[in-house]
mmCIF file of all heavy atoms in Angstrom:
data_model
loop_
_atom_site.group_PDB
_atom_site.id
_atom_site.type_symbol
_atom_site.label_atom_id
_atom_site.label_comp_id
_atom_site.label_asym_id
_atom_site.label_seq_id
_atom_site.Cartn_x
_atom_site.Cartn_y
_atom_site.Cartn_z
ATOM 1 N N GLN A 9 -1.431 107.863 10.929
ATOM 2 C CA GLN A 9 -1.829 106.545 10.368
ATOM 3 C C GLN A 9 -0.718 105.941 9.589
ATOM 4 O O GLN A 9 0.286 106.580 9.074
ATOM 5 C CB GLN A 9 -2.913 106.868 9.325
ATOM 6 C CG GLN A 9 -4.270 107.224 9.891
ATOM 7 C CD GLN A 9 -5.405 107.016 8.972
ATOM 8 O OE1 GLN A 9 -5.310 107.385 7.854
ATOM 9 N NE2 GLN A 9 -6.482 106.369 9.441
ATOM 10 N N ALA A 10 -0.620 104.615 9.664
ATOM 11 C CA ALA A 10 0.500 103.896 9.038
ATOM 12 C C ALA A 10 0.349 104.130 7.525
ATOM 13 O O ALA A 10 -0.771 104.126 6.996
ATOM 14 C CB ALA A 10 0.393 102.423 9.424
ATOM 15 N N GLU A 11 1.501 104.258 6.830
ATOM 16 C CA GLU A 11 1.499 104.385 5.430
ATOM 17 C C GLU A 11 0.957 103.092 4.833
ATOM 18 O O GLU A 11 1.400 102.029 5.191
ATOM 19 C CB GLU A 11 2.883 104.572 4.889
ATOM 20 C CG GLU A 11 3.370 106.045 5.013
ATOM 21 C CD GLU A 11 2.597 106.970 4.143
ATOM 22 O OE1 GLU A 11 2.658 106.881 2.921
ATOM 23 O OE2 GLU A 11 1.844 107.892 4.660
ATOM 24 N N PRO A 12 0.000 103.236 3.928
ATOM 25 C CA PRO A 12 -0.438 101.967 3.207
ATOM 26 C C PRO A 12 0.620 101.402 2.372
ATOM 27 O O PRO A 12 1.426 102.067 1.878
ATOM 28 C CB PRO A 12 -1.678 102.501 2.367
ATOM 29 C CG PRO A 12 -1.429 103.964 2.133
ATOM 30 C CD PRO A 12 -0.638 104.434 3.404
ATOM 31 N N ASP A 13 0.627 100.078 2.296
ATOM 32 C CA ASP A 13 1.561 99.428 1.425
ATOM 33 C C ASP A 13 1.279 99.759 -0.061
ATOM 34 O O ASP A 13 0.324 99.278 -0.590
ATOM 35 C CB ASP A 13 1.583 97.935 1.592
ATOM 36 C CG ASP A 13 2.502 97.251 0.726
ATOM 37 O OD1 ASP A 13 3.494 97.870 0.315
ATOM 38 O OD2 ASP A 13 2.295 96.034 0.459
ATOM 39 N N LYS A 14 2.044 100.627 -0.528
ATOM 40 C CA LYS A 14 1.814 101.166 -1.913
ATOM 41 C C LYS A 14 1.702 100.095 -2.991
ATOM 42 O O LYS A 14 0.839 100.068 -3.762
ATOM 43 C CB LYS A 14 2.897 102.158 -2.309
ATOM 44 C CG LYS A 14 2.492 103.011 -3.512
ATOM 45 C CD LYS A 14 1.480 104.108 -3.131
ATOM 46 C CE LYS A 14 1.114 104.878 -4.291
ATOM 47 N NZ LYS A 14 0.064 104.231 -5.184
#
Side-chain angles (χ1 to χ4, degrees):
Q9 288 201 315
E11 279 292 298
D13 176 25
K14 194 72 181 83

